[in-house]
Amino acid sequence: IFGSSNNQQQKQDLDEEEWILAALRNSLQSVLKVVIHKSTSNPAHLPLVSVVAALSGALVLGYRQVDDSGHKDQSLRVITWNVLARPYTKYNSQQHRASAKLEDENQTKQRYTLAGEELVGRAADVVFLQECESDFFEPRWNLAASKLEEAYYTYRCNVGDSPGTAVLVKKTGQATCHAERPLCIGGTEETGGDSKVATLMQLMHGGKMLTAASIHFRGGPQADVPVSRRKHADLILDGLTPETEIVLGGDFNCNPGDQLDNLEVHPLFRDRLKRLPLQQDAKTGLSADMSREEILDYIYVSQGLEVLRSFATAKPRPPWAGNATKPAKVYGASDHVPVFAEIKWKTTATAREKETE
């Protein structure tokens, strides 16, 4: 569940029953991959997809109930994930080995369905998606689309037909929507192009206003990339008030180091947001050619929020497997993995005193 055997502290936070639930769920996820592969070519397998996904989701919900039983204050669970939009598979033709530059339609269906089932199963309160195109929510391309629609309110920001970003809010979760539509920021040449857009949604959680932001910063070796990132941060900051509390997740397209440090000194981040830690040796995505594991995806929260736990949910791998089969077999949903965090409002001194009474 945590993707790293070295994270002993995270392991200690879960008791034996929770680890059994996690192991069972991971086994069902492996079965689900096989069933989804079969169902894209044979509709007769579709009912089995629902059964396996329901069992997997039930295990996650059971784990959640165990975890919440000891919490007096309701926490908020969030996930950020770049789900690899089909149009961008043209850059990975050597890996997917389809007959055209884009991956085969069935490959997309399998990947999108795996992603949809993963999101429904994990049942986070708020989900941040990047490289999210409209087809991701269409049953023709995603066999889990109806489940996503049933479980989540979806707020997307796209420029034309280009993939963009989205914020999903669980209908029965710990946050409620406080606006009818999202605030879309970016998606212009100065921020890096149509897909480099941020989706901001006003929420209510625990009696307080909270802005949830999904962002996709520009990447690449070009000299003007840092300028595009800072411009995007400028535009987001302009859309906020100084008092706005934020939870922000996204694909930053840069590893920890000079480039991330350069962005974190921007007023949007400096003294306002804190980056949540990941487990030791965690990676969240692959390089553009899928040859290297990197840390590209992050979650940030305002100073008024505290983190209970945060981690990369798996080890990133190419979504296509093997070296010979044409087209390649689908191994996973994306070249990025979901990054998970559980957060809550900081307890005031008065509240702490009451809790000890």
Side-chain angles (χ1 to χ4, degrees), residues 144-163:
S146 60
K147 296 179 186 179
L148 285 171
E149 184 178 8
E150 181 179 355
Y152 287 95
Y153 297 110
T154 300
Y155 302 93
R156 295 191 297 116
C157 288
N158 296 73
V159 177
D161 294 329
S162 297

Side-chain angles (χ1 to χ4, degrees), residues 85-93 96 101-103 111 320:
R86 170 178 168 80
Y88 299 140
T89 62
K90 65 183 180 181
Y91 300 114
N92 305 110
S93 58
H96 62 66
K101 286 187 176 182
L102 293 181
E103 68 179 347
R111 287 196 308 101
W320 310 282

Side-chain angles (χ1 to χ4, degrees), residues 114-125:
L114 282 170
E117 296 291 359
E118 176 87 359
L119 293 172
V120 172
R122 289 195 178 275
D125 298 301

Side-chain angles (χ1 to χ4, degrees), residues 125-198:
D125 298 301
V126 181
V127 177
F128 305 121
L129 296 181
Q130 301 84 45
E131 288 196 26
C132 179
E133 62 171 340
S134 58
D135 285 343
F136 184 81
F137 300 98
E138 294 294 332
R140 175 176 177 267
W141 290 97
N142 187 340
L143 301 182
S146 60
K147 296 179 186 179
L148 285 171
E149 184 178 8
E150 181 179 355
Y152 287 95
Y153 297 110
T154 300
Y155 302 93
R156 295 191 297 116
C157 288
N158 296 73
V159 177
D161 294 329
S162 297
T165 57
V167 173
L168 279 58
V169 183
K170 198 170 191 297
K171 294 180 179 179
T172 58
Q174 299 301 324
T176 56
C177 305
H178 199 70
E180 293 184 359
R181 58 181 60 87
L183 176 62
C184 301
I185 299 177
T188 63
E189 184 177 349
E190 62 183 355
T191 63
D194 292 349
S195 67
K196 301 306 180 285
V197 60

Side-chain angles (χ1 to χ4, degrees), residues 25 28-29 52-62 117 120-123:
R25 178 185 173 277
L28 282 170
Q29 285 289 328
V52 177
L55 288 172
S56 179
L59 289 174
V60 175
L61 293 175
E117 296 291 359
V120 172
R122 289 195 178 275

